[in-house]
Amino acid sequence: MTDITDLVIVGGGPGGQAAARAAIRHGLRVTVLDEQARPGGQIFRQPFADGIYPKDRFGAKHAAAGRAGAALCAEPLIDWQGNRMVWGLTPGGEDGFELFHSGPDGAAALKARRVLIAAGCHDMAVPFPGWTLSGVMGAGGIQAMLKGQGVAPGASILLGGSHPLMLVIAAQLLDFGVTPVGVVFSQSFGRIKEMLGAPLVASRSLPVFAQGARAYLKLHRAGVPVHFGKVVVRAEGDDTLQQVRIAPSDRLDATGETIACDAFGFCYGFTSSAELPRQIGVDPVWSETGGGWIIPHDARMQTSQPGLYVAGETAGIGGEPCAVAEGVLAGLTIAESLGKSVSETEIARAQTQRRHRRDFATLLQRLADPGAALLQGLRDDDTAICRCESVKTGAFRALLRDNPTIHSADAAKLLARTGMGPCQGRFCHRAVQEEIAAARGGSTADAKPFAARMPARPVPLRDLRSLSRDGNE
C-alpha cells in the first residue's frame, strides 16, 4: 500500500469521465472505479458484450459515448477498473484517502491524494400496495436491462410516475420491438407551463427538450396512450404482476380503472448516492426534489472534507449535462490543488457552465416533483415500507405512536429493524423519514438519516478477511 495515485474517481458515468479527461489533460494519474464493466454510467450504459444489439440502437449519442469511454480507458494516465464496488472510504491523513472496493477477483484497498465521488443515483423507492410483486421495478431498472443486457422485462410494460424520463424509456422500448401499454403521469399536462415561465433557463437545455418531444411524438405515432393526472395506486397479481389499478391523482381512494401488464416501471425521481462522503463525516443536506440527502460543496466542488470532491447526482440530481459540467470543474480544481497550472479563466468558464446546468436541473426537479403528500398517500397499512425486513407501514406507524421519543431513522431502526437489511436503508429511508415527519408534525429533513457506515454495500466475509491479512484493520 505504498503506491499512491493522484486521483481516484468513484463512478465512470458522464461526470466521472469528464473529470478524468480534465485531470489527465493536466498530467494527473487517475484511477476510475466503477460497478459496470464498461464506462457509461446509467445514461450511457454499454452492453455487457459486443453484438447483443446494434451499436446505434440507442442513437448516435449513445454510440459515440461508448467509443469515447473506450478511448478514455486506453489513455496512459488512466487506470480503469470496472466491475468494482466501492464500499469504504477513510481519511488517510497526509496520504489523502484510502478506498476499499470489491470485484470478481476479491477485495483491494487503494490510496489517493484526492478523491472525487461521482457515484450517480438510483430510482427513488416509492412503496405502494403490490410493489413487491415480481414484475414491479424502478423504471431505471427497465432501462438498465435494455442497455446492459439487450432484453426487456416483459411483453406488456407500463410506466408510471412523475418524471419525464419515462417518455424516453417508453420510446426505447419501441426501438426494441416492445410496445408499452401506456405511460401514466401523476401531474397534469398543464405543468409544462412551468417551463415556459423560465424561458432563458429552458433555452440553455434545448437538446433535453428535443429528446422528450421526439419521444412523445414517437409514442403518439405508435398509438401508445399517455395519461396525465393519474397514478398507479395498486399492483395486482398472485405471485407475479398481472394488472395495475390507476386513479386520479387527487382521488387516490377512487375505484379507478385497471390496465393489464406483466411489468410496471415506476419513476417518481431519484435518490442520490451519497453514502461514501457521509462515511467520513461529511454532513448531507436534504433536498426534497433533488435526490434526498445530497452532499454540499463549495464553488470548486470540494466538500467539507479537504481533498474530497463531488460531481453529478451525488451533489444533487441534475442529469447528464450537469454531471459533465461539474465533472470538468472538479477535474480542473483538483489538478490545481495538486500544484498543476490551471487557468483561472478556464475554471471560471466551467463554473458558469455548471451554474447554467444546475438552474435547468432545478426547474426540471420542480416539474417532476410528485409531492410528499401523494407519495405518502399511496401507502396503506399493509404496504411493505421496508422490503428487506418485511416491515409493514401499519406496524411502523403503530410503533411511532407507541414510542413518541423516536425522531430519527436510526432510532426507529433499533425497534422496527427498518434499514437493517442488505440495502442498509438506501431504499426505505425516504419513506421512513416521511412517516416519522408525519407522526411528529415536522418536515422530512427533521428526521435524520440512517448513519452511513462501512461497508456501504453487502461485502463477502472473505473480502474483509483478505484485507485484514493484508494489514488493513
Side-chain angles (χ1 to χ4, degrees):
M1 293 306 302
T2 57
D3 186 37
I4 303 174
T5 192
D6 292 324
L7 169 63
V8 168
I9 299 174
V10 180
Q17 290 187 47
R21 292 188 182 97
I24 63 173
R25 195 168 70 243
H26 291 278
L28 297 189
R29 292 182 301 123
V30 179
T31 296
V32 183
L33 303 173
D34 192 80
E35 292 188 7
Q36 297 180 41
R38 298 178 173 186
Q42 170 69 356
I43 188 169
F44 295 132
R45 182 184 292 267
Q46 299 299 307
F48 74 93
D50 292 330
I52 63 173
Y53 57 75
K55 291 185 180 296
D56 61 351
R57 171 61 60 85
F58 293 102
K61 187 174 182 179
H62 183 268
R67 294 191 297 271
L72 179 65
C73 292
E75 290 284 349
L77 289 175
I78 291 288
D79 175 20
W80 167 268
Q81 297 188 31
N83 289 323
R84 307 303 298 181
M85 177 189 68
V86 182
W87 47 265
L89 174 65
T90 61
E94 295 182 358
D95 291 337
F97 302 88
E98 190 165 17
L99 298 96
F100 302 93
H101 53 101
S102 295
D105 57 349
L110 180 64
K111 286 187 176 181
R113 294 183 174 87
R114 300 289 186 271
V115 171
L116 170 66
I117 306 297
C121 60
H122 55 85
D123 288 298
M124 181 174 72
V126 178
F128 66 95
W131 79 303
T132 58
L133 278 173
S134 176
V136 179
M137 63 195 75
I142 295 177
Q143 191 179 53
M145 292 178 69
L146 292 176
K147 293 181 177 180
Q149 309 296 322
V151 298
S156 54
I157 302 173
L158 178 73
L159 296 163
S162 61
H163 202 282
L165 178 64
M166 295 189 298
L167 294 174
V168 176
I169 297 175
Q172 291 169 346
L173 283 167
L174 285 174
D175 291 336
F176 263 79
V178 178
T179 301
V181 296
V183 182
V184 181
F185 280 95
S186 62
Q187 62 269 63
S188 67
F189 187 76
R191 282 278 289 275
I192 197 66
K193 293 179 180 179
E194 289 191 22
M195 291 290 193
L196 302 179
L200 179 60
V201 174
S203 67
R204 292 175 178 145
S205 296
L206 288 178
V208 178
F209 278 109
Q211 183 184 29
R214 286 195 301 269
Y216 184 82
L217 291 174
K218 189 172 189 174
L219 296 173
H220 179 72
R221 289 194 297 268
V224 177
V226 179
H227 309 270
F228 291 93
K230 295 184 178 181
V231 63
V232 172
V233 295
R234 181 177 296 273
E236 299 174 340
D238 295 327
D239 295 321
T240 61
L241 178 66
Q242 296 174 323
Q243 65 180 24
V244 300
R245 189 171 297 277
I246 65 173
S249 299
D250 57 353
R251 291 187 291 116
L252 298 181
D253 57 349
T255 302
E257 59 183 292
T258 59
I259 299 177
C261 56
D262 59 7
F264 170 60
F266 58 85
C267 187
Y268 289 96
F270 304 94
T271 297
S272 171
S273 294
E275 296 85 9
L276 292 174
R278 291 176 55 214
Q279 277 186 9
I280 58 173
V282 177
D283 290 328
V285 296
W286 178 256
S287 174
E288 188 71 31
T289 60
W293 293 109
I294 63 176
I295 302 301
H297 54 83
D298 63 15
R300 294 178 174 240
M301 305 309 297
Q302 184 171 220
T303 71
S304 59
Q305 175 73 44
L308 179 65
Y309 296 73
V310 291
E313 270 61 29
T314 302
I317 306 303
E320 178 254 339
C322 187
V324 169
E326 292 182 344
V328 170
L329 176 57
L332 293 175
T333 56
I334 289 170
E336 182 192 48
S337 75
L338 289 173
K340 304 298 183 179
S341 178
V342 181
S343 165
E344 278 298 323
T345 300
E346 190 176 12
I347 291 176
R349 188 185 309 120
Q351 288 173 325
T352 299
Q353 184 77 341
R354 183 255 169 196
R355 185 173 62 254
H356 289 166
R357 298 305 189 192
R358 271 293 163 195
D359 287 344
F360 177 76
T362 301
L363 186 64
L364 186 61
Q365 289 167 14
R366 292 203 305 269
L367 173 70
D369 179 26
L374 184 144
L375 297 182
Q376 189 173 10
L378 289 175
R379 299 190 287 271
D380 63 16
D381 283 350
D382 200 43
T383 301
I385 193 172
C386 174
R387 298 178 65 149
C388 296
E389 295 295 321
S390 300
V391 179
K392 297 295 182 67
T393 300
F396 188 71
R397 289 170 176 168
L399 179 107
L400 294 178
R401 288 194 299 269
D402 294 341
N403 297 271
T405 59
I406 292 178
H407 288 272
S408 69
D410 269 344
K413 179 179 182 179
L414 295 174
L415 294 178
R417 295 189 61 82
T418 47
M420 293 191 78
C423 87
Q424 288 293 286
R426 291 175 65 239
F427 295 106
C428 70
H429 78 269
R430 187 182 187 109
V432 165
Q433 290 174 215
E434 287 172 350
E435 291 294 338
I436 294 173
R440 304 294 175 250
S443 68
T444 308
D446 293 334
K448 299 302 181 183
F450 295 113
R453 297 186 177 93
M454 190 185 308
R457 307 282 183 87
V459 179
L461 290 177
R462 64 176 179 271
D463 287 2
L464 300 178
R465 193 164 55 245
S466 66
L467 285 175
S468 178
R469 285 197 298 265
D470 290 341
N472 295 280
E473 297 184 2

